[in-house]
Amino acid sequence: MAQAEMTFPADFLWGTATASYQVEGNNKNSDWWVWEQDPGNIANNHKSELACNWWQNAEADLDLAAEMGTNAHRMSLEWSRIEPEPSVFSNDALDRYRQILQAMIDRNIEPMVTLHHFSNPLWLVEKGDFDSDIVVEYFQRYTDRVVSTLGNLVAKWITINEPMVYFYSRYMEKVFPQPNNSGMRAGIHSLRQMLRCHAAAYHTIKDKYPDAPVGVAKNFPIIEPRLDGNRLDHWWASRISRMFNDFWLDALQDGRIRWPFGRGKIKNLAGSFDFVGINYYTRFYVKFPPGKDVIDKQWGPDALVSDGNYGEVYPYGLYRAIKHVLRYKKPIFITENGLPDARDKQRPAFIMDHLRQIWQAISFCYPVMGYYHWSLVDNFEWDRGWTQRFGLIALDPDTQERTWRTSGRLYSEICSSYKVSSDMAQRYAPQMMPVMFPGDPVSVAESQDL
Ligand code: FCB
């Protein structure tokens, strides 16, 4: 039977994403390592330990990424390895990163590199963290060293991963390693300093590699008023969405800081991004006045929820996020998207339905250029330890044994063929047929059965 197909452009990037602390193992100079040792900070008191053993053998997983048929990977660098003491750079660490980047290139996998993904050198914490005056200069020097030694191997750059999540998790939820001063004033100042770090890093990269695209990875939840919310809830949802979703990108666009994070302009910030990276996972509901948590995990009775109440599966939200950032008139990459699903019950349908949203966007000529699935392999999920499994490939952290999940096979078929087809839907997630391919004879027959 003829199959229906959603075809993607020939230059589309099919990727996976990881972050250094989550996969490398033994990152003992990072603030996370110390944080992990205190009982109660990480779910089940899990430890990252060897993580996915990338520091020794990233190549083994890159072999799997190549076997999967991906042509891109987003990784991050561990500042605390590259600069273990202030102004002391480790050539060994830089050499190892060169090897890892070269291993990607050798496998036809294009590297996208993040400079900061949630983890700080211990010395930076002592010096006052992102709340300090010195951080911008140190971040600029770190970037400069990285770009001079690794720059020729890096296709695309991201400065700081999910700055608003970082701010929220440290200064509001307090579930990430705590800076010495964890008060709200310090938090707001740290956000402004992160913007300055971003601007400094952007220009440092562009000075050496003017053509290298430099962007952001912005977590972009859909934020809605609570179900049956009143006018105040609606008003509040739009305020929170503006603060959480728009503040950072708007600041990069025109260089201005807005309420409630301050006022005024930051030098060299305006226009300092070449693409928008969307990290999309879920939707949140808020109510006014807010409870203890500003963002509620509350959903309707029919919502599909991933493991551990992580979040509602809401694929259309990805389309909404893409549409929202069109205003910046930049190329768009989906720099993270995935779900915790140890038994892989929902992931095949999740992948297909989220790719359908991207395909829809592309068919309207919205400039979505690539997709990086979080994650290639199960890894250490920050405060949630090993309790959440995001991998296309399962990992047993004790034995380091890898096992392909069915969704990994599906993603492999998609990456290799540049399409999502009704044949794949039938084989991997037949329940998606009427949703994704409503006109298909199989869907029609099935819906008649119902
Ligand atoms: C994102 C983080 C990433 C990973 C996923 C599940 O917010 O950037 O490191 O933890 O969530």
Side-chain angles (χ1 to χ4, degrees), residues 19 22 117-118 161-162 219 279 281 310 336 374 381-382 384 390:
Q22 296 178 271
H117 196 128
F118 290 172
N161 179 66
E162 298 188 348
N219 181 286
N279 291 1
Y281 288 91
Y310 174 82
E336 287 180 29
W374 186 275
E381 269 304 330
W382 309 115
R384 302 180 301 273
F390 280 80

PDB file of all heavy atoms in Angstrom, residues 19 22 117-118 161-162 219 279 281 310 336 374 381-382 384 390, ligand 1:
ATOM      1  N   ALA A  19      24.972  17.018  27.750  1.00  0.00           N
ATOM      2  CA  ALA A  19      25.736  18.074  28.421  1.00  0.00           C
ATOM      3  C   ALA A  19      26.875  17.432  29.191  1.00  0.00           C
ATOM      4  O   ALA A  19      26.732  16.315  29.717  1.00  0.00           O
ATOM      5  CB  ALA A  19      24.842  18.853  29.374  1.00  0.00           C
ATOM      6  N   GLN A  22      26.592  15.760  32.641  1.00  0.00           N
ATOM      7  CA  GLN A  22      25.648  14.646  32.662  1.00  0.00           C
ATOM      8  C   GLN A  22      26.205  13.370  32.047  1.00  0.00           C
ATOM      9  O   GLN A  22      25.683  12.291  32.311  1.00  0.00           O
ATOM     10  CB  GLN A  22      24.356  15.065  31.957  1.00  0.00           C
ATOM     11  CG  GLN A  22      23.646  16.200  32.686  1.00  0.00           C
ATOM     12  CD  GLN A  22      22.382  16.649  31.978  1.00  0.00           C
ATOM     13  OE1 GLN A  22      22.435  17.527  31.117  1.00  0.00           O
ATOM     14  NE2 GLN A  22      21.257  16.068  32.307  1.00  0.00           N
ATOM     15  N   HIS A 117      26.716  24.834  30.593  1.00  0.00           N
ATOM     16  CA  HIS A 117      25.475  24.075  30.748  1.00  0.00           C
ATOM     17  C   HIS A 117      25.328  23.705  32.224  1.00  0.00           C
ATOM     18  O   HIS A 117      25.693  22.600  32.650  1.00  0.00           O
ATOM     19  CB  HIS A 117      25.495  22.837  29.844  1.00  0.00           C
ATOM     20  CG  HIS A 117      24.151  22.199  29.642  1.00  0.00           C
ATOM     21  ND1 HIS A 117      23.623  21.912  28.397  1.00  0.00           N
ATOM     22  CD2 HIS A 117      23.212  21.799  30.520  1.00  0.00           C
ATOM     23  CE1 HIS A 117      22.422  21.350  28.533  1.00  0.00           C
ATOM     24  NE2 HIS A 117      22.152  21.268  29.821  1.00  0.00           N
ATOM     25  N   PHE A 118      24.849  24.654  33.031  1.00  0.00           N
ATOM     26  CA  PHE A 118      24.438  24.437  34.429  1.00  0.00           C
ATOM     27  C   PHE A 118      25.553  24.140  35.433  1.00  0.00           C
ATOM     28  O   PHE A 118      25.251  23.881  36.594  1.00  0.00           O
ATOM     29  CB  PHE A 118      23.444  23.266  34.537  1.00  0.00           C
ATOM     30  CG  PHE A 118      22.072  23.504  33.957  1.00  0.00           C
ATOM     31  CD1 PHE A 118      21.156  22.453  33.860  1.00  0.00           C
ATOM     32  CD2 PHE A 118      21.658  24.753  33.532  1.00  0.00           C
ATOM     33  CE1 PHE A 118      19.875  22.643  33.346  1.00  0.00           C
ATOM     34  CE2 PHE A 118      20.378  24.946  33.009  1.00  0.00           C
ATOM     35  CZ  PHE A 118      19.490  23.885  32.915  1.00  0.00           C
ATOM     36  N   ASN A 161      23.338  27.677  28.374  1.00  0.00           N
ATOM     37  CA  ASN A 161      22.128  26.861  28.269  1.00  0.00           C
ATOM     38  C   ASN A 161      21.044  27.349  29.241  1.00  0.00           C
ATOM     39  O   ASN A 161      21.329  27.566  30.426  1.00  0.00           O
ATOM     40  CB  ASN A 161      22.465  25.403  28.612  1.00  0.00           C
ATOM     41  CG  ASN A 161      21.238  24.501  28.539  1.00  0.00           C
ATOM     42  OD1 ASN A 161      20.682  24.292  27.472  1.00  0.00           O
ATOM     43  ND2 ASN A 161      20.792  23.988  29.676  1.00  0.00           N
ATOM     44  N   GLU A 162      19.855  27.495  28.758  1.00  0.00           N
ATOM     45  CA  GLU A 162      18.652  27.739  29.569  1.00  0.00           C
ATOM     46  C   GLU A 162      18.881  28.669  30.761  1.00  0.00           C
ATOM     47  O   GLU A 162      18.692  28.273  31.929  1.00  0.00           O
ATOM     48  CB  GLU A 162      18.095  26.403  30.066  1.00  0.00           C
ATOM     49  CG  GLU A 162      17.657  25.485  28.966  1.00  0.00           C
ATOM     50  CD  GLU A 162      16.920  24.241  29.473  1.00  0.00           C
ATOM     51  OE1 GLU A 162      16.936  23.969  30.686  1.00  0.00           O
ATOM     52  OE2 GLU A 162      16.310  23.551  28.635  1.00  0.00           O
ATOM     53  N   ASN A 219      15.040  27.377  27.028  1.00  0.00           N
ATOM     54  CA  ASN A 219      13.926  26.509  27.411  1.00  0.00           C
ATOM     55  C   ASN A 219      12.635  27.285  27.209  1.00  0.00           C
ATOM     56  O   ASN A 219      12.524  28.435  27.622  1.00  0.00           O
ATOM     57  CB  ASN A 219      14.110  26.108  28.875  1.00  0.00           C
ATOM     58  CG  ASN A 219      13.005  25.196  29.349  1.00  0.00           C
ATOM     59  OD1 ASN A 219      11.892  25.649  29.564  1.00  0.00           O
ATOM     60  ND2 ASN A 219      13.303  23.926  29.502  1.00  0.00           N
ATOM     61  N   ASN A 279      14.610  24.775  23.478  1.00  0.00           N
ATOM     62  CA  ASN A 279      14.538  23.514  24.225  1.00  0.00           C
ATOM     63  C   ASN A 279      13.082  23.369  24.625  1.00  0.00           C
ATOM     64  O   ASN A 279      12.585  24.149  25.445  1.00  0.00           O
ATOM     65  CB  ASN A 279      15.400  23.560  25.489  1.00  0.00           C
ATOM     66  CG  ASN A 279      16.892  23.582  25.179  1.00  0.00           C
ATOM     67  OD1 ASN A 279      17.301  23.589  24.017  1.00  0.00           O
ATOM     68  ND2 ASN A 279      17.701  23.598  26.215  1.00  0.00           N
ATOM     69  N   TYR A 281       9.964  21.004  26.086  1.00  0.00           N
ATOM     70  CA  TYR A 281       9.561  19.772  26.778  1.00  0.00           C
ATOM     71  C   TYR A 281       8.071  19.687  27.068  1.00  0.00           C
ATOM     72  O   TYR A 281       7.438  18.684  26.806  1.00  0.00           O
ATOM     73  CB  TYR A 281      10.338  19.627  28.098  1.00  0.00           C
ATOM     74  CG  TYR A 281      11.791  19.273  27.868  1.00  0.00           C
ATOM     75  CD1 TYR A 281      12.760  20.276  27.745  1.00  0.00           C
ATOM     76  CD2 TYR A 281      12.182  17.957  27.715  1.00  0.00           C
ATOM     77  CE1 TYR A 281      14.090  19.938  27.490  1.00  0.00           C
ATOM     78  CE2 TYR A 281      13.506  17.613  27.471  1.00  0.00           C
ATOM     79  CZ  TYR A 281      14.451  18.606  27.353  1.00  0.00           C
ATOM     80  OH  TYR A 281      15.751  18.270  27.094  1.00  0.00           O
ATOM     81  N   TYR A 310       6.982  14.272  35.322  1.00  0.00           N
ATOM     82  CA  TYR A 310       7.897  15.281  34.772  1.00  0.00           C
ATOM     83  C   TYR A 310       7.136  16.372  34.037  1.00  0.00           C
ATOM     84  O   TYR A 310       7.412  17.553  34.161  1.00  0.00           O
ATOM     85  CB  TYR A 310       8.895  14.612  33.830  1.00  0.00           C
ATOM     86  CG  TYR A 310       9.786  15.580  33.112  1.00  0.00           C
ATOM     87  CD1 TYR A 310      10.917  16.097  33.732  1.00  0.00           C
ATOM     88  CD2 TYR A 310       9.502  15.993  31.805  1.00  0.00           C
ATOM     89  CE1 TYR A 310      11.734  17.000  33.081  1.00  0.00           C
ATOM     90  CE2 TYR A 310      10.310  16.888  31.149  1.00  0.00           C
ATOM     91  CZ  TYR A 310      11.432  17.394  31.793  1.00  0.00           C
ATOM     92  OH  TYR A 310      12.232  18.295  31.130  1.00  0.00           O
ATOM     93  N   GLU A 336      16.812  21.001  22.104  1.00  0.00           N
ATOM     94  CA  GLU A 336      16.491  19.871  22.991  1.00  0.00           C
ATOM     95  C   GLU A 336      15.001  19.581  22.870  1.00  0.00           C
ATOM     96  O   GLU A 336      14.191  20.503  22.752  1.00  0.00           O
ATOM     97  CB  GLU A 336      16.770  20.172  24.475  1.00  0.00           C
ATOM     98  CG  GLU A 336      18.212  20.212  24.871  1.00  0.00           C
ATOM     99  CD  GLU A 336      18.405  20.516  26.364  1.00  0.00           C
ATOM    100  OE1 GLU A 336      17.513  20.161  27.171  1.00  0.00           O
ATOM    101  OE2 GLU A 336      19.437  21.105  26.697  1.00  0.00           O
ATOM    102  N   TRP A 374      16.876  15.148  22.996  1.00  0.00           N
ATOM    103  CA  TRP A 374      17.451  14.906  24.328  1.00  0.00           C
ATOM    104  C   TRP A 374      16.905  13.583  24.817  1.00  0.00           C
ATOM    105  O   TRP A 374      15.724  13.485  25.092  1.00  0.00           O
ATOM    106  CB  TRP A 374      17.082  16.027  25.316  1.00  0.00           C
ATOM    107  CG  TRP A 374      17.807  15.797  26.606  1.00  0.00           C
ATOM    108  CD1 TRP A 374      17.420  14.999  27.635  1.00  0.00           C
ATOM    109  CD2 TRP A 374      19.081  16.339  26.976  1.00  0.00           C
ATOM    110  NE1 TRP A 374      18.370  14.986  28.621  1.00  0.00           N
ATOM    111  CE2 TRP A 374      19.394  15.809  28.239  1.00  0.00           C
ATOM    112  CE3 TRP A 374      19.987  17.209  26.353  1.00  0.00           C
ATOM    113  CZ2 TRP A 374      20.580  16.132  28.910  1.00  0.00           C
ATOM    114  CZ3 TRP A 374      21.146  17.521  27.023  1.00  0.00           C
ATOM    115  CH2 TRP A 374      21.429  16.983  28.287  1.00  0.00           C
ATOM    116  N   GLU A 381      20.531  13.082  35.432  1.00  0.00           N
ATOM    117  CA  GLU A 381      19.557  14.174  35.284  1.00  0.00           C
ATOM    118  C   GLU A 381      19.554  15.139  36.474  1.00  0.00           C
ATOM    119  O   GLU A 381      18.550  15.307  37.166  1.00  0.00           O
ATOM    120  CB  GLU A 381      18.156  13.596  35.052  1.00  0.00           C
ATOM    121  CG  GLU A 381      17.806  13.407  33.591  1.00  0.00           C
ATOM    122  CD  GLU A 381      17.927  14.672  32.753  1.00  0.00           C
ATOM    123  OE1 GLU A 381      17.721  15.780  33.292  1.00  0.00           O
ATOM    124  OE2 GLU A 381      18.243  14.551  31.565  1.00  0.00           O
ATOM    125  N   TRP A 382      20.682  15.763  36.733  1.00  0.00           N
ATOM    126  CA  TRP A 382      20.784  16.821  37.754  1.00  0.00           C
ATOM    127  C   TRP A 382      20.152  16.390  39.084  1.00  0.00           C
ATOM    128  O   TRP A 382      20.449  15.300  39.560  1.00  0.00           O
ATOM    129  CB  TRP A 382      20.152  18.117  37.215  1.00  0.00           C
ATOM    130  CG  TRP A 382      20.681  18.499  35.853  1.00  0.00           C
ATOM    131  CD1 TRP A 382      19.979  18.552  34.678  1.00  0.00           C
ATOM    132  CD2 TRP A 382      22.022  18.891  35.505  1.00  0.00           C
ATOM    133  NE1 TRP A 382      20.805  18.947  33.647  1.00  0.00           N
ATOM    134  CE2 TRP A 382      22.054  19.163  34.118  1.00  0.00           C
ATOM    135  CE3 TRP A 382      23.224  19.032  36.229  1.00  0.00           C
ATOM    136  CZ2 TRP A 382      23.205  19.566  33.451  1.00  0.00           C
ATOM    137  CZ3 TRP A 382      24.376  19.440  35.574  1.00  0.00           C
ATOM    138  CH2 TRP A 382      24.348  19.698  34.200  1.00  0.00           C
ATOM    139  N   ARG A 384      17.476  15.171  39.713  1.00  0.00           N
ATOM    140  CA  ARG A 384      16.651  13.955  39.623  1.00  0.00           C
ATOM    141  C   ARG A 384      17.500  12.699  39.414  1.00  0.00           C
ATOM    142  O   ARG A 384      16.981  11.602  39.231  1.00  0.00           O
ATOM    143  CB  ARG A 384      15.608  14.128  38.519  1.00  0.00           C
ATOM    144  CG  ARG A 384      14.710  15.343  38.772  1.00  0.00           C
ATOM    145  CD  ARG A 384      13.663  15.533  37.702  1.00  0.00           C
ATOM    146  NE  ARG A 384      14.226  15.708  36.386  1.00  0.00           N
ATOM    147  CZ  ARG A 384      14.612  16.871  35.848  1.00  0.00           C
ATOM    148  NH1 ARG A 384      14.481  17.987  36.534  1.00  0.00           N
ATOM    149  NH2 ARG A 384      15.121  16.941  34.642  1.00  0.00           N
ATOM    150  N   PHE A 390      16.021   9.622  29.744  1.00  0.00           N
ATOM    151  CA  PHE A 390      15.670  10.343  28.516  1.00  0.00           C
ATOM    152  C   PHE A 390      16.289   9.729  27.256  1.00  0.00           C
ATOM    153  O   PHE A 390      16.112  10.253  26.159  1.00  0.00           O
ATOM    154  CB  PHE A 390      16.146  11.793  28.602  1.00  0.00           C
ATOM    155  CG  PHE A 390      15.258  12.719  29.407  1.00  0.00           C
ATOM    156  CD1 PHE A 390      15.305  12.757  30.788  1.00  0.00           C
ATOM    157  CD2 PHE A 390      14.358  13.560  28.760  1.00  0.00           C
ATOM    158  CE1 PHE A 390      14.494  13.627  31.520  1.00  0.00           C
ATOM    159  CE2 PHE A 390      13.546  14.428  29.474  1.00  0.00           C
ATOM    160  CZ  PHE A 390      13.616  14.461  30.863  1.00  0.00           C
TER     161      PHE A 390
HETATM  162  C1  FCB B   1      16.914  20.554  30.213  1.00  0.00           C
HETATM  163  C2  FCB B   1      18.423  20.596  30.439  1.00  0.00           C
HETATM  164  C3  FCB B   1      19.092  19.275  30.138  1.00  0.00           C
HETATM  165  C4  FCB B   1      18.287  18.085  30.615  1.00  0.00           C
HETATM  166  C5  FCB B   1      16.871  18.192  30.119  1.00  0.00           C
HETATM  167  C6  FCB B   1      16.003  17.038  30.512  1.00  0.00           C
HETATM  168  O1  FCB B   1      16.308  21.561  30.944  1.00  0.00           O
HETATM  169  O2  FCB B   1      18.997  21.586  29.632  1.00  0.00           O
HETATM  170  O3  FCB B   1      20.390  19.312  30.680  1.00  0.00           O
HETATM  171  O4  FCB B   1      18.356  17.992  31.978  1.00  0.00           O
HETATM  172  O5  FCB B   1      16.297  19.375  30.604  1.00  0.00           O
END
